[in-house]
Amino acid sequence: ICLTNLKNQSLHGTSPVTTFGPKACMLQNPHAVMHIQDPASQRLTWNKPPKSVLVIKKIQDASLLQPFKELCVFLTEKNMIVYVERKVLADPVIQADESFAAVIQKFCTFREDLDDISNRVDFIICLGGDGTLLYASSLFQKSVPPVMSFHLGSLGFLTPFNFDTYQSQVTQIIEGNAAIILRSRLRVVKESREKNARVDKKGIIMTKGDSEGSRKAMQYQVLNEVVVDRGPFSYLSNVDLFLDGHLITTVQGDGVIVSTPTGSTAYAVAAGASMIHPNVPAIMITPICPHSLSFRPIVVPAGVELKIMLSRDSRNTAWVSFDGRKRQEICHGDNITITTSCFPVPSICFQDPVNDWFESLAQCLHWNVRKKQNYLSSKEDVF
């Protein structure tokens, strides 16, 4: 049992759960040292054969309709219970396909933020780009079922599977023959003061009556990053950054990115951060266009607690988004607390966690690609 409301004393962060959804878990390695497994040895196994699958398709993309239909027909033929979001089936092209109508009748549908499917889905299949994996993560605020992602989008850094051989690949997953990588998430709590509360000159919230009733807290599970920025304002953002209760710096610039190792290859790398393998237990803090030549990105242990607040003398409010969604304003008196979640996303690998990551660096980001230096023959002068 993971107690997310208690401060974890380990610098490595909370121990991630190793059960994913109703039936999946990580195959335990008896040779693991200190319960930290070699990334290449992390394997998927099933307590019971999987019976249900959630299919996530990128909406408003006509090129995905045929792969979506083929996959769903294949899954129903294997007697799998297929869950599909209701808005996906609202596509006029799908509605007009009479040959697909019989398959649709077998689907179980749900609505985002309204229906809880966390204990109904055994594993997830994503059709699209990296955004489909982020969306799948947002649907599960606790334990996440294993996720298999097919590269049918634009970048595909997090989607290692090619759809051409989907039948054999999906069959291997159902049989429990696959490597997985545990992508850590951030547990983010945003506390906001109510409108009837005010802030004095020292930044203390002044309320009428019960102080507990004057605050509202929202919790999010974030796979890539939390971004705090200046929003529509022309002034610099001015936010205080605390680490385990201590003020470590005030961010003056366009904003700050707090990311997971998975998110280090997203917005953070565009802002000048290093790329971190997803198995590294860490949190990355990256400023966005800081008004300081010495403010460099830093990496802190996964076990710390970060808190972001609007500085008392800030000229304007700031804005925050979670994996590019749920964008909202940060006012004086609000605070954002960020820790490593104990509910990672178990992402199914094409080969293994190490090879998949370097393959994505090479194919998607063209890491260290340059024209090679010509070879010098022994007869040529070195100088």
Side-chain angles (χ1 to χ4, degrees), residues 146-293:
V147 185
M148 182 181 194
S149 300
F150 285 96
H151 177 29
L152 292 168
S154 52
L155 184 62
F157 194 91
L158 306 177
T159 54
F161 288 93
N162 192 311
F163 193 76
D164 293 341
T165 55
Y166 76 93
Q167 294 184 350
S168 61
Q169 292 170 342
V170 172
T171 300
Q172 284 188 354
I173 303 308
I174 294 175
E175 294 173 352
N177 182 21
I180 59 173
I181 181 171
L182 299 185
R183 298 186 179 276
S184 64
R185 295 195 291 178
L186 299 175
R187 177 179 179 268
V188 186
V189 178
K190 180 180 181 290
E191 289 187 325
S192 307
R193 66 183 180 88
E194 299 294 343
K195 292 183 178 180
N196 62 348
R198 63 185 179 85
V199 181
D200 69 1
K201 294 181 180 180
K202 295 182 179 180
I204 300 175
I205 300 175
M206 308 296 292
T207 62
K208 295 180 180 180
D210 185 11
S211 61
E212 291 297 324
S214 67
R215 301 192 70 81
K216 180 177 66 174
M218 296 294 293
Q219 181 174 310
Y220 306 92
Q221 295 283 338
V222 176
L223 178 58
N224 259 1
E225 73 274 301
V226 179
V227 177
V228 176
D229 59 66
R230 59 189 175 93
F233 303 103
S234 57
Y235 294 113
L236 298 173
S237 69
N238 202 333
V239 295
D240 294 334
L241 181 61
F242 297 82
L243 191 150
D244 286 341
H246 302 284
L247 177 66
I248 57 172
T249 192
T250 297
V251 180
Q252 297 182 95
D254 281 353
V256 63
I257 305 167
V258 180
S259 60
T260 63
T262 294
S264 70
T265 51
Y267 192 176
V269 75
S274 296
M275 296 180 289
I276 304 177
H277 189 276
N279 275 116
V280 177
I283 299 175
M284 175 169 283
I285 302 170
T286 307
I288 307 172
C289 297
H291 202 248
S292 168
L293 297 178

Side-chain angles (χ1 to χ4, degrees), residues 2-7 14 141-142 184-191 217-223 226 258 260 283 302 304-307 322 336-344:
C2 179
L3 303 178
T4 56
N5 60 329
L6 298 180
K7 177 68 176 71
T14 54
Q141 293 302 299
K142 291 188 177 180
S184 64
R185 295 195 291 178
L186 299 175
R187 177 179 179 268
V188 186
V189 178
K190 180 180 181 290
E191 289 187 325
M218 296 294 293
Q219 181 174 310
Y220 306 92
Q221 295 283 338
V222 176
L223 178 58
V226 179
V258 180
T260 63
I283 299 175
V304 304
E305 178 184 270
L306 298 174
K307 181 175 286 188
F322 312 95
I336 299 171
T337 304
I338 304 171
T339 55
T340 298
S341 170
C342 64
F343 298 107

